């Protein structure tokens, strides 16, 4: 019973729930970034570098059966070993963009979290006995 109680306390802590929400949002966000990279950025990069499709950049490492198309999917289906560095380039660009976006988000969150410097505390009230002593002093100064 002790382990069940301990696990329940662990699972209900705010940090674990925050982490779970972060993982779920991160998974969905990763799909968005993947779409941005593969559908928007990589075609532009391919256009700049001579209309290359990075997903089909590969080196064939084995013999190709006759009649097999020279595309990455066809070669993989035929069981031909390929060194698919184009996929790696696409994933690396995904990572760089995702890391940059997360960096910008954390930077903004930290900027919002920065608290304005607290105003200096008001001077402490003078104790009543000191106030009375000052009044006596001032009244003695007034008498000739």
């Amino acid at each position: 019973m002790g382990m069940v109680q301990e696990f329940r306390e662990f699972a209900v802590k705010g940090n674990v729930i925050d982490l779970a929400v972060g993982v779920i949002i991160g998974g969905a966000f990763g799909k968005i970034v993947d779409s941005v990279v593969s559908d928007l950025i990589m075609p532009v990069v391919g256009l700049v570098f001579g209309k290359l499709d990075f997903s089909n950049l590969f080196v064939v490492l084995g013999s190709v059966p006759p009649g097999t198309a020279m595309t990455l999917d066809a070669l993989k289906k035929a069981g031909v070993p390929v060194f698919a560095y184009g996929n790696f380039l696409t994933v690396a660009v995904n990572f760089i963009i995702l890391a940059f976006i997360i960096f910008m988000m954390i930077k903004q969150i930290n900027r919002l979290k920065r608290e304005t410097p607290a105003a200096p505390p008001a001077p402490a009230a003078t104790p009543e006995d000191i106030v009375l002593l000052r009044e006596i002093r001032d009244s003695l100064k007034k008498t000739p």
Side-chain angles (χ1 to χ4, degrees):
M1 184 67 175
M3 183 180 276
V4 173
Q5 179 69 21
E6 189 176 336
F7 176 74
R8 194 166 119 217
E9 288 175 12
F10 169 76
V12 178
K13 283 185 179 177
N15 292 344
V16 174
I17 294 171
D18 291 345
L19 179 63
V21 170
V23 167
I24 293 168
I25 291 175
F29 189 68
K31 290 179 183 179
I32 291 171
V33 171
D34 189 40
S35 174
V36 167
V37 170
S38 62
D39 298 334
L40 302 176
I41 294 174
M42 293 311 280
V44 173
V45 171
L47 180 68
V48 169
F49 289 108
K51 297 187 179 187
L52 293 176
D53 180 10
F54 279 24
S55 62
N56 278 322
L57 293 178
F58 58 89
V59 175
V60 178
L61 300 176
S63 60
V64 179
T68 304
M70 289 299 289
T71 64
L72 183 61
D73 289 336
L75 290 172
K76 282 186 175 182
K77 285 180 185 175
V80 178
V82 292
F83 183 71
Y85 65 93
N87 284 338
F88 173 76
L89 291 174
T90 303
V91 170
V93 170
N94 274 355
F95 173 76
I96 291 169
I97 291 170
L98 185 59
F100 179 73
I101 290 171
I102 290 173
F103 168 74
M104 294 305 289
M105 287 173 48
I106 297 297
K107 186 175 176 179
Q108 292 302 318
I109 289 170
N110 287 341
R111 185 181 64 84
L112 292 174
K113 278 186 178 180
R114 282 189 202 125
E115 296 177 15
T116 56
T126 309
E128 190 175 333
D129 57 344
I130 301 293
V131 171
L132 289 172
L133 288 171
R134 286 182 182 164
E135 288 176 6
I136 293 170
R137 179 195 64 196
D138 292 341
S139 68
L140 288 174
K141 283 183 181 179
K142 288 181 185 177
T143 57

